[in-house]
Amino acid sequence: MPCGTLYLVATPIGNLEDLTYRAVRVLKEVDFVAAEDTRVSGKLLHYLQISKPLVSYHEHNKMQRGPELVQRILNGETCALVTDAGMPAISDPGEDMANLCQEAGIPVVPVPGACAAVSALAQSGLPSGKWCFEGFLPTANKPRRERLDVLKRETRTCILYEAPHRIRATMHDLAEQLGDRRVSISRELTKVHEECLRMTLPEAAAYYDMHEPRGEFVLVIEGAQDNPEQSAADQMERAIALTEELTAAGLTLRDAVKQAAKQTGARKNQLYQTMLERAKE
């Protein structure tokens, strides 16, 4: 008997219209669905008017459940693996399931769709030619410091996930270790209260000290510069030029400096002092 197939089916990250036509067809055709949370996936299947057996597969039962699912697929059944939101196997225990199936010679077929990391990167406006995905930072102190030390030297745009109850601590850690880099903060992607904020890491730390974090966050962080000294000089030159444009348009020096520093990532106090010195020349 030929073995079946494992389909990695991307599900909506917020808006139900995130789901593709192909994903709906595959969910209708498979023999069973392996879900991170059968309650969440059950609601999605109910909305789609699809009736399929649901089997739980998550971080806490994957060691036992994984081999069971592999055996069912080897016996000829087809399985759709879904996570609560987004693409399975990306910062998700589905990674282990995909590996088990590959090792067993089972075809693993991706059914692409919504992905919070890629969506936030596209939304950010930050360099997207080279980027890295870190998922969630470790919560334990030592491994967290080690990862931040690596990110301090990372020149690619970096994407992180974070939960609302940890966002304040994470922003302060990032600001302390990575400095004045630009960050794009995407919250509640494709949902009713979707929001995208662009600022520097220190500004983001201050912002969330004053505002209550809500929803799930994707952080897109500017990479380190290959030549920090030259980068800082270029950044200041851009900030000076923008400040001059804004003051010529009628803004006060303080307001112009504040806006230019926010847009370029230049240090506000240093920019203000530079503009005062230029005015004396």
Side-chain angles (χ1 to χ4, degrees), residues 87-198:
M87 191 70 198
I90 304 299
S91 193
D92 173 79
E95 173 186 358
D96 297 286
M97 185 63 189
N99 182 52
L100 285 175
C101 287
Q102 292 284 13
E103 289 182 344
I106 294 170
V108 177
V109 178
V111 182
C115 174
V118 174
S119 299
L121 176 62
Q123 185 179 45
S124 72
L126 291 172
S128 59
K130 295 180 179 179
W131 53 277
C132 62
F133 175 65
E134 282 288 321
F136 290 91
L137 286 174
T139 55
N141 289 335
K142 184 178 179 180
R144 187 178 180 90
R145 286 195 304 270
E146 290 173 348
R147 288 313 304 160
L148 287 170
D149 190 53
V150 171
L151 293 181
K152 191 172 184 178
R153 301 185 298 274
E154 176 60 67
T155 58
R156 294 170 294 178
T157 300
C158 180
I159 304 173
L160 299 175
Y161 287 163
E162 195 50 280
H165 64 282
R166 289 197 298 264
I167 192 71
R168 284 174 172 155
T170 293
M171 284 303 186
H172 279 280
D173 289 344
L174 290 169
E176 180 181 348
Q177 294 296 319
L178 276 58
D180 282 340
R181 295 195 206 173
R182 292 178 294 169
V183 60
S184 175
I185 306 163
S186 295
R187 184 179 70 87
E188 296 292 87
L189 279 164
T190 82
K191 299 178 183 177
V192 174
H193 299 294
E194 178 182 304
E195 179 181 53
C196 180
L197 302 175
R198 278 173 55 98

Side-chain angles (χ1 to χ4, degrees), residues 187-247:
R187 184 179 70 87
E188 296 292 87
L189 279 164
T190 82
K191 299 178 183 177
V192 174
H193 299 294
E194 178 182 304
E195 179 181 53
C196 180
L197 302 175
R198 278 173 55 98
M199 55 187 75
T200 65
L201 288 170
E203 287 171 341
Y207 178 86
Y208 285 108
D209 282 341
M210 300 295 294
H211 296 79
E212 186 66 27
R214 298 183 186 280
E216 300 299 319
F217 293 84
V218 184
L219 312 180
V220 183
I221 305 168
E222 181 179 32
Q225 300 299 320
D226 291 326
N227 187 335
E229 292 183 4
Q230 183 61 42
S231 171
D234 291 343
Q235 186 182 65
M236 183 56 65
E237 286 301 317
R238 294 197 305 271
I240 289 170
L242 180 56
T243 302
E244 291 174 342
E245 290 178 13
L246 294 171
T247 53

Side-chain angles (χ1 to χ4, degrees), residues 3 52 55 60 80 111-112 130 155 190 201 273 275 278 280:
C3 72
K52 290 290 175 180
V55 180
H60 304 294
V111 182
K130 295 180 179 179
T155 58
T190 82
L201 288 170
Q273 188 62 37
M275 297 307 298
R278 286 201 169 199
K280 295 176 183 178

Side-chain angles (χ1 to χ4, degrees), residues 35-74:
E36 180 182 8
D37 188 326
T38 56
R39 296 165 299 180
V40 173
S41 299
K43 291 178 182 178
L44 177 63
L45 293 180
H46 178 75
Y47 170 80
L48 298 172
Q49 298 183 328
I50 296 174
S51 178
K52 290 290 175 180
L54 278 166
V55 180
S56 67
Y57 176 83
H58 48 72
E59 185 64 33
H60 304 294
N61 73 355
K62 66 182 182 181
M63 299 302 293
Q64 172 195 348
R65 188 58 50 83
E68 295 174 359
L69 299 182
V70 167
Q71 190 57 55
R72 289 182 63 173
I73 300 170
L74 285 172

